[in-house]
């Protein structure tokens, strides 16, 4: 059975990987009929292997060019074309083809030449059946892993639609198209989206693809600077403008000259400063604190907000003229719950990143774990998913990440998504899913007589996860023990 990287087989590749993987094809070439028959019989004992044989190395070259093989096994001394010449021809047809060279006349020169041509093993006759089968299994497994890595790299390369923005869903493709169109202009931009959706990544993608890419990208979080310091942080100050100002200081707007000034959470900008910023943006001229000279500057403003600025304007917390000034090009970043098909890509990307950061082999995400991740609503969006993967990797003690490595609230509330609209597909699906789970766990507890260990084994779930799901559906295992009134689905007594 071939298993692709966690999350890729099921959610990205689709039908490429199935429970029973397609057979691996091996071309066996030897001019000695006896050796050919013995090796063929040994290969046919291996599960999932399809064998093709050739006693003519010249015909083998033709078959390599016309057919697809996963492994070439060839003798080195043959009358028509030698094994090394055959391997050289195979490399021209398929540079990634795995190969094993057989020989009854070993030499350092032939071994070295075989390795240079890409042979991954070199067996000296006579060899045992077990030794031969082990070599073939190892090379087929290595070939499979290389294919998976190439597939994963291609998926990841295609998945990066703009800069560091990862996603292949329709809403992300539309987002990236809008970013690309925005980059072709020099208009100011307003980016809207919930916390953790990646608004700064969008701002950086716009900067890197604009004509200002050689200039600085200056980000500032409007909620992180104390109000009394904000004016001089933005506009700079002259010497002597305040106590301790022993030299002139450039402001962030001046520093961003020729580049992009990113105002994150602009809704948190104090109203007193909103008016000053509006005038500066309209005139593209500023005056340092304590100064009299007006200084011209050239920046592109990209602002972001995690709340509705229209509502902020209605509540008189944000100036309408400043809102209209920055709302020229508008980009809305979708929440993660609206692009669940991107979750496997993101989860595997974060897993790979933090595994390398910790200096350990990547622990794959099991199918059950991926199912939970895909069905969770992610109120904290991509940032929350990133932190969950990081924490799960730190907690994991097995070779793969299991459900018990995820935070309890993620597992417990997985599937509790907010429906898109009344009577929608999502709402109907969640109702049926909840009904199925309740009925399933009720039947399990009845069959086991309230024995949670037995029921969890039957469901193939960890005990901790099983308890959390019982709690989610208000089921008490004690109610199903002998002598107790057995409840029906949902906890009501069975009639």
């Amino acid at each position: 059975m071939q298993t692709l990287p966690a999350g890729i087989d099921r959610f990205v590749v689709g039908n490429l990987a199935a429970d029973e993987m397609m057979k691996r094809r091996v071309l066996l070439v030897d001019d000695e009929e006896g050796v050919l028959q013995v090796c063929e019989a040994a290969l046919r004992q291996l599960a999932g292997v399809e064998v093709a044989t050739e006693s003519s190395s010249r015909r083998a070259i033709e078959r390599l060019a016309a057919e697809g093989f996963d492994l070439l096994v060839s003798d080195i001394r043959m009358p028509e074309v030698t094994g090394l010449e055959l391997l050289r021809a195979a490399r021209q047809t398929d540079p990634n083809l795995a190969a094993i060279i057989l020989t009854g006349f070993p030499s350092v020169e032939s071994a070295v030449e075989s390795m240079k041509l890409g042979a991954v093993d070199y067996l000296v006759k006579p060899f045992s059946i077990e030794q031969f089968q082990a070599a073939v299994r190892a090379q087929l497994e290595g070939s499979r892993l290389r294919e998976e890595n190439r597939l994963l790299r291609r998926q990841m390369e295609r998945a990066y639609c703009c800069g560091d923005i990862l996603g292949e869903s329709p809403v992300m493709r539309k987002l990236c198209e809008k970013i690309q169109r925005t980059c072709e202009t020099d208009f100011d931009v307003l980016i809207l989206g919930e916390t953790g959706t990646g608004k700064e990544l969008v701002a950086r993608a716009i900067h890197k693809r604009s004509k200002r890419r050689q200039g600085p990208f200056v980000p500032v979080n409007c909620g992180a600077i104390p109000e009394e310091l904000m004016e001089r942080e933005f506009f700079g100050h002259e010497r002597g403008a305040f106590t301790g100002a022993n030299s002139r200081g450039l402001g962030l707007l001046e520093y961003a000259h020729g580049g992009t000034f990113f105002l994150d959470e602009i809704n948190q900008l104090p109203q007193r400063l909103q008016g000053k910023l509006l005038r500066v943006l309209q005139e593209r001229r500023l005056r340092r604190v304590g100064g009299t000279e007006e200084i011209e500057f050239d920046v592109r403003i990209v602002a972001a907000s995690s709340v509705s600025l229209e509502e902020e304007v209605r509540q008189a917390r944000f100036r309408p003229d400043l809102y209209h000034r920055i709302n020229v090009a508008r980009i809305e970043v979708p929440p993660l719950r609206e692009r669940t098909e991107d979750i496997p890509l993101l989860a595997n990307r974060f897993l790979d990143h933090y595994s390398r950061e910790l200096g350990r082999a990547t622990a794959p995400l099991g199918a059950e774990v991926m199912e939970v991740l895909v069905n969770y609503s992610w109120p904290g969006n991509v940032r929350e998913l990133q932190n969950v993967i990081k924490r799960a990797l730190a907690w994991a003690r097995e070779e793969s990440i299991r459900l018990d490595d995820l935070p309890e609230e993620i597992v417990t509330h997985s599937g509790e998504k907010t429906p898109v609209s009344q009577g929608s597909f999502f709402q109907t699906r969640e109702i049926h899913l909840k009904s199925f789970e309740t009925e399933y766990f009720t039947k399990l507890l009845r069959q086991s007589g309230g024995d949670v260990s037995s029921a969890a084994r039957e469901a193939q779930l960890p005990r901790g996860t099983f308890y959390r799901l019982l709690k989610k559906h208000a089921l008490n295992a004690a109610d199903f023990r002998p002598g107790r009134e057995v409840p029906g689905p949902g906890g009501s007594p069975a009639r």
Side-chain angles (χ1 to χ4, degrees), residues 374-376 413-420 424-437 472-473:
V374 169
N375 285 287
Y376 182 59
H413 297 291
S414 177
E416 297 179 358
K417 295 185 180 180
T418 304
V420 173
S424 69
F425 162 77
F426 296 99
Q427 184 183 44
T428 305
R429 184 186 68 176
E430 296 306 332
I431 291 172
H432 285 286
L433 179 62
K434 184 175 181 181
S435 175
F436 160 75
E437 288 183 354
K472 173 183 175 181
H473 296 290

Side-chain angles (χ1 to χ4, degrees), residues 6 20 62 66 72 81 85 143 152 195 224 226 239 246 248 268 327 334 344 364 399 406 408 413 434 470 491-492:
E20 289 298 326
E62 295 172 359
L72 169 65
V81 177
E85 291 170 336
S143 173
L152 183 57
T195 299
R239 180 180 179 182
N246 299 320
R248 184 178 65 184
Q268 297 187 36
N327 188 25
E399 291 184 356
L406 297 179
E408 184 174 335
H413 297 291
K434 184 175 181 181
L470 293 185
S492 59

Side-chain angles (χ1 to χ4, degrees), residues 368-369 372 398 401-406 411 441 452-470:
E368 290 178 340
V369 172
V372 167
E398 304 292 334
I401 292 177
R402 304 180 305 169
L403 285 179
D404 282 350
D405 298 321
L406 297 179
V411 179
F441 290 118
V452 172
S453 296
S454 174
R457 281 196 302 272
E458 179 69 22
Q460 298 181 14
L461 288 173
R463 277 173 58 95
T465 302
F466 194 86
Y467 271 118
R468 285 193 291 268
L469 289 169
L470 293 185

Side-chain angles (χ1 to χ4, degrees), residues 119-167:
V120 286
D121 212 336
Y122 185 88
L123 294 181
V124 178
K125 301 175 183 177
F127 44 76
S128 68
I129 297 299
E130 292 76 13
Q131 183 183 4
F132 177 63
Q133 290 176 329
V136 169
R137 274 195 296 262
Q139 300 320 316
L140 289 177
E141 177 66 13
S143 173
R144 179 184 67 80
L145 291 174
R146 286 190 292 274
E147 287 175 7
E148 290 176 5
N149 288 334
R150 285 195 295 271
L151 172 64
L152 183 57
R153 282 196 298 270
R154 288 199 304 271
Q155 287 296 142
M156 297 301 284
E157 287 165 3
R158 288 198 299 269
Y160 282 97
C161 57
C162 299
D164 294 327
I165 302 173
L166 184 63

Side-chain angles (χ1 to χ4, degrees), residues 84-95:
L84 293 180
E85 291 170 336
L86 175 60
L87 182 54
R88 191 175 288 111
R91 282 283 165 266
Q92 295 176 356
T93 303
D94 182 0

Side-chain angles (χ1 to χ4, degrees), residues 177-249:
E177 289 171 6
K178 186 169 285 190
I179 290 173
Q180 190 57 46
R181 289 199 301 271
T182 302
C183 294
E184 296 167 0
T185 74
D186 200 37
F187 298 148
D188 292 340
V189 184
L190 176 61
I191 303 172
L192 298 174
E194 296 177 7
T195 299
T197 51
K199 296 185 291 296
E200 184 169 341
L201 288 180
V202 173
R204 289 184 182 275
I206 292 171
H207 172 73
K208 289 177 182 177
R209 284 163 173 70
S210 73
K211 66 180 183 180
R212 296 178 177 272
R213 66 179 69 91
Q214 300 301 324
F217 177 85
V218 180
V220 56
N221 189 322
C222 296
I225 303 176
E227 183 175 350
E228 62 273 14
L229 301 179
M230 193 168 285
E231 185 173 357
R232 62 178 187 254
E233 286 290 324
F234 275 36
F235 308 129
H237 63 269
E238 295 290 352
R239 180 180 179 182
F242 52 86
T243 302
N246 299 320
S247 61
R248 184 178 65 184

Side-chain angles (χ1 to χ4, degrees), residues 198-407:
K199 296 185 291 296
E200 184 169 341
L201 288 180
V202 173
R204 289 184 182 275
I206 292 171
H207 172 73
K208 289 177 182 177
R209 284 163 173 70
S210 73
K211 66 180 183 180
R212 296 178 177 272
R213 66 179 69 91
Q214 300 301 324
F217 177 85
V218 180
V220 56
N221 189 322
C222 296
I225 303 176
E227 183 175 350
E228 62 273 14
L229 301 179
M230 193 168 285
E231 185 173 357
R232 62 178 187 254
E233 286 290 324
F234 275 36
F235 308 129
H237 63 269
E238 295 290 352
R239 180 180 179 182
F242 52 86
T243 302
N246 299 320
S247 61
R248 184 178 65 184
L250 297 183
L252 295 173
L253 277 166
E254 250 184 293
Y255 182 72
H257 178 74
T260 302
F261 189 54
F262 176 53
L263 288 157
D264 197 11
E265 299 299 347
I266 193 172
N267 54 290
Q268 297 187 36
L269 197 66
Q271 287 199 332
R272 181 181 64 83
L273 200 60
Q274 289 179 23
K276 291 188 176 183
L277 181 63
L278 173 64
R279 184 187 66 80
V280 166
L281 296 185
Q282 288 173 335
E283 300 177 5
R284 287 308 201 257
R285 299 170 69 89
L286 61 83
R287 185 181 299 161
R288 300 190 189 109
V289 175
T292 57
E293 178 187 1
E294 288 201 329
I295 301 163
E296 292 185 358
F297 67 96
D298 174 29
V299 300
R300 180 183 203 172
I301 299 296
V302 178
S305 174
S306 58
V307 300
S308 168
L309 288 186
E310 290 97 331
E311 181 62 27
E312 294 296 290
V313 169
R314 281 194 291 270
Q315 297 294 331
R317 292 192 290 261
F318 199 84
R319 291 182 61 121
D321 43 6
L322 178 58
Y323 168 66
H324 294 303
R325 181 68 186 79
I326 60 176
N327 188 25
V328 181
R330 180 182 178 123
I331 294 177
E332 297 188 16
V333 186
L336 189 54
R337 63 180 173 275
E338 292 182 8
R339 54 183 188 109
T340 54
E341 53 265 66
D342 290 330
I343 289 176
L345 286 170
L346 290 162
N348 280 293
R349 174 66 183 87
F350 295 143
L351 187 64
D352 180 62
H353 173 77
Y354 289 120
S355 294
R356 283 187 280 108
E357 190 176 275
L358 292 171
R360 64 168 70 167
T362 301
L365 296 170
E368 290 178 340
V369 172
M370 192 63 75
E371 191 75 26
V372 167
L373 297 181
V374 169
N375 285 287
Y376 182 59
S377 60
W378 299 109
N381 293 292
V382 179
R383 185 181 297 129
E384 183 183 8
L385 173 62
Q386 183 177 2
N387 291 333
V388 165
I389 295 296
K390 187 175 184 179
R391 187 173 5 161
L393 187 61
W395 285 352
R397 292 295 176 264
E398 304 292 334
E399 291 184 356
S400 63
I401 292 177
R402 304 180 305 169
L403 285 179
D404 282 350
D405 298 321
L406 297 179

